[in-house]
Amino acid sequence: MVTKRIIPCLDIKDGRTVKGVNFVGLRDAGDPVELADRYSKEGADELVFLDITATKDKRKTMIDMVEKVARKVNIPFTVGGGISSVEDVNALLRAGADKVSINSSAVKNPQLINDLANKFGSQCVVLAVDAKNINGEWKVFLVGGRVETELNLFDWVKEGVDRGAGEILFTSMNNDGTKDGFANDALKKLSEIVNVPIIASGGAGSVQHFVDTFKQGKSDAALAASVFHFKEIEIVDLKNTLAEEGLKVRL
Amino acid sequence: MKIVIIDYGAGNVKSVQFALERLGYKAICSNDAEVIKSADKVIFPGVGEASSAMQEIKKQELDKVIPFLKQPVLGICLGMQLMCQFSEENNTDCLGIFPVDVLKFNNDLKVPQIGWNVINNLTGPLFNDVKEDAYVYYVHSYYIPKNDDAIALTDYGLQYAGAIQKDNFYACQFHPEKSSSIGEQILKNFIEL
């Protein structure tokens, strides 16, 4: 059977990694290509690049970066951020990205999910959802968590999968940045209501949190940024522990 | 050595080209019948949906080229599926190089299968220096059942063909270009056939 996946996430602004990368031994910690190569050699199963560039005219920089990563790195990677059309996705896939993740643009125009799945196949369409538990109800947020919607997390994910999303990247805003662990109850429920892989995001602080999200949260993959960037968790140690816990990983 | 990657508009030609570059081989991407026919090695990649990919192949008249190639050909992922007889994905008639049908994974499983899984029962030169139960990267919703042409098997709910071979035609369901050093070894083996 397929293994659990460990996915470092790199935030990219104007073609450079941002949000604190503190890597010993890198010539330039801001260079996404160098960091991606490092992670792939350390045993990352996949990578996610999130473009947080505000302006549209900087997209060309992202395409160039994607091509440089694809040249260097021999594991799959997903690109997200600012994707709102079939043309955007075509350019990224042609540059060498394996998958794309869509978030706000899918809420504003759900038909985009169908269009992308029909054109490129469900396997490359990751629906990213940011949600917050407010008085017991999980509400979907947009624009990096700044805009609240009326959408319920579970209804929206179900609709997204029905429309053709091949994978769900769920970030719990309650957990994100806390280092208190992933939102395992919600993750488990997502795994029960849809039949596509679920990537857990938000809250990673310790190796045990990864064990918990795979066991209790039934997650298929776990994504994290700072614990990897600041070397608080070494991927190889993490995967060894997961294996000792009886979870299937690629070592 | 002339390596041609068939570029019919289906996705990840560059990933394959870059993987070959890392191995020190230059490859050209083309949909030109004469260029493809003159190659020493042909790679037939693909991601996406079977019926629209077949439509493109027919439009570019590559269905009159690919099945008749005499040099080693390597189909990857959707490329492999299109080399079979028929795909359950939108009931698509394919190229018919391998006499087997492509089926949809059972819904008890998470579909697509996305991630790293092992290959075993490895047979033939494509897997020189690759150990049994090596990890490779898969992303797919449809599969080719275990059959006489299988040269690698994988388990996902059931045992299916991870790779197949018939005469000069080789094909793998996983993505060697994304399967770390194992995948690079498999690509190298193909180029050195």
Side-chain angles (χ1 to χ4, degrees):
Chain A
M1 287 299 283
V2 71
T3 67
K4 301 295 185 185
R5 285 171 281 150
I6 299 298
I7 310 177
C9 177
L10 285 69
D11 283 348
I12 308 293
K13 189 163 190 250
D14 303 338
R16 310 273 301 164
T17 48
V18 291
K19 212 164 111 178
V21 175
N22 179 18
F23 244 115
V24 184
L26 285 186
R27 272 178 294 118
D28 172 6
D31 178 7
V33 181
E34 203 177 335
L35 190 57
D37 186 45
R38 170 92 172 237
Y39 280 135
S40 75
K41 289 187 172 124
E42 289 178 350
D45 295 303
E46 234 176 277
L47 298 165
V48 168
F49 296 90
L50 214 48
D51 185 10
I52 56 169
T53 306
T55 53
K56 269 276 173 197
D57 57 321
K58 292 276 170 59
R59 292 296 291 180
K60 177 83 179 59
T61 320
M62 193 62 182
I63 301 284
D64 290 345
M65 188 218 80
V66 167
E67 187 167 323
K68 284 189 194 125
V69 171
R71 258 179 212 286
K72 182 90 177 173
V73 173
N74 59 10
I75 59 169
F77 66 96
T78 302
V79 179
I83 296 167
S84 57
S85 69
V86 167
E87 293 73 41
D88 289 344
V89 173
N90 193 44
L92 290 165
L93 296 180
R94 294 289 293 184
D98 298 282
K99 299 186 264 187
V100 294
S101 83
I102 49 172
N103 191 332
S104 303
S105 58
V107 173
K108 286 177 203 145
N109 171 24
Q111 178 62 29
L112 180 65
I113 306 172
N114 304 64
D115 294 347
L116 295 179
N118 288 336
K119 175 100 172 108
F120 307 106
S122 289
Q123 82 292 330
C124 74
V125 183
V126 182
L127 179 62
V129 184
D130 299 333
K132 193 191 241 175
N133 188 328
I134 301 168
N135 303 324
E137 200 199 337
W138 284 95
K139 289 272 189 172
V140 174
F141 279 67
L142 302 185
V143 206
R146 288 193 289 274
V147 177
E148 186 177 348
T149 72
E150 283 307 303
L151 284 173
N152 169 282
L153 165 68
F154 303 104
D155 295 342
W156 172 233
V157 164
K158 199 163 181 325
E159 180 181 342
V161 171
D162 288 344
R163 286 178 178 274
E167 203 167 15
I168 302 298
L169 167 56
F170 164 53
T171 303
S172 161
M173 292 165 59
N174 304 74
N175 300 61
D176 200 24
T178 64
K179 298 200 171 183
D180 276 343
F182 296 93
N184 293 326
D185 289 345
L187 284 158
K188 180 164 178 280
K189 191 167 169 194
L190 285 175
S191 247
E192 285 161 0
I193 60 167
V194 292
N195 200 27
V196 302
I198 308 288
I199 306 170
S201 160
S206 72
V207 169
Q208 187 60 38
H209 293 154
F210 287 85
V211 174
D212 293 344
T213 200
F214 292 136
K215 286 192 172 175
Q216 295 158 25
K218 308 279 177 212
S219 306
D220 298 286
L223 176 142
S226 63
V227 290
F228 297 136
H229 298 333
F230 289 96
K231 286 200 156 277
E232 291 161 18
I233 297 176
E234 298 274 0
I235 294 171
V236 61
D237 299 339
L238 167 59
K239 290 177 102 176
N240 280 328
T241 305
L242 295 174
E244 284 162 19
E245 290 282 340
L247 291 158
K248 216 163 156 50
V249 287
R250 178 181 69 110
L251 288 170
Chain B
M1 171 81 67
K2 185 172 169 188
I3 305 165
V4 173
I5 302 166
I6 302 179
D7 183 5
Y8 56 104
N12 67 341
V13 284
K14 275 221 180 119
S15 302
V16 179
Q17 194 180 24
F18 293 154
L20 292 170
E21 269 176 25
R22 287 194 293 273
L23 291 167
Y25 297 106
K26 272 239 166 290
I28 38 179
C29 301
S30 176
N31 67 345
D32 183 298
E34 292 313 311
V35 174
I36 296 167
K37 282 187 211 162
S38 71
D40 299 304
K41 300 282 176 349
V42 175
I43 297 181
F44 178 38
V47 289
E49 188 275 316
S51 69
S52 49
M54 260 323 283
Q55 226 169 15
E56 272 307 310
I57 284 169
K58 284 184 179 160
K59 205 166 92 190
Q60 299 174 37
E61 300 195 333
L62 292 169
D63 57 321
K64 299 186 179 76
V65 178
I66 299 167
F68 306 101
L69 292 170
K70 296 285 177 259
Q71 64 276 64
V73 178
L74 178 66
I76 298 174
C77 198
L78 181 65
M80 174 194 195
Q81 299 184 355
L82 298 179
M83 287 160 94
C84 296
Q85 200 70 41
F86 171 85
S87 172
E88 285 189 351
E89 189 171 22
N90 289 320
N91 296 321
T92 306
D93 284 320
C94 301
L95 295 169
I97 297 167
F98 293 94
V100 58
D101 291 350
V102 183
L103 311 178
K104 176 127 182 74
F105 275 126
N106 185 308
N107 279 336
D108 298 344
L109 297 160
K110 291 212 173 184
V111 179
Q113 174 186 208
I114 298 183
W116 297 82
N117 203 336
V118 295
I119 41 174
N120 48 41
N121 292 278
L122 306 177
T123 315
L126 200 59
F127 298 107
N128 282 346
D129 296 322
V130 178
K131 291 200 177 85
E132 285 284 306
D133 293 326
Y135 278 105
V136 290
Y137 188 79
Y138 282 101
V139 190
H140 62 126
S141 304
Y142 294 80
Y143 71 97
I144 288 144
K146 193 174 161 180
N147 66 83
D148 290 346
D149 295 325
I151 53 170
L153 298 177
T154 291
D155 277 296
Y156 191 61
L158 75 173
Q159 206 176 30
Y160 70 96
I164 48 179
Q165 185 212 337
K166 193 177 157 219
D167 307 321
N168 57 317
F169 292 99
Y170 295 76
C172 49
Q173 182 63 66
F174 54 86
H175 285 275
E177 75 280 14
K178 290 290 171 178
S179 295
S180 196
S181 54
I182 306 283
E184 287 173 349
Q185 181 65 45
I186 293 166
L187 282 176
K188 185 164 175 278
N189 290 341
F190 172 72
I191 299 302
E192 289 176 356
L193 278 174

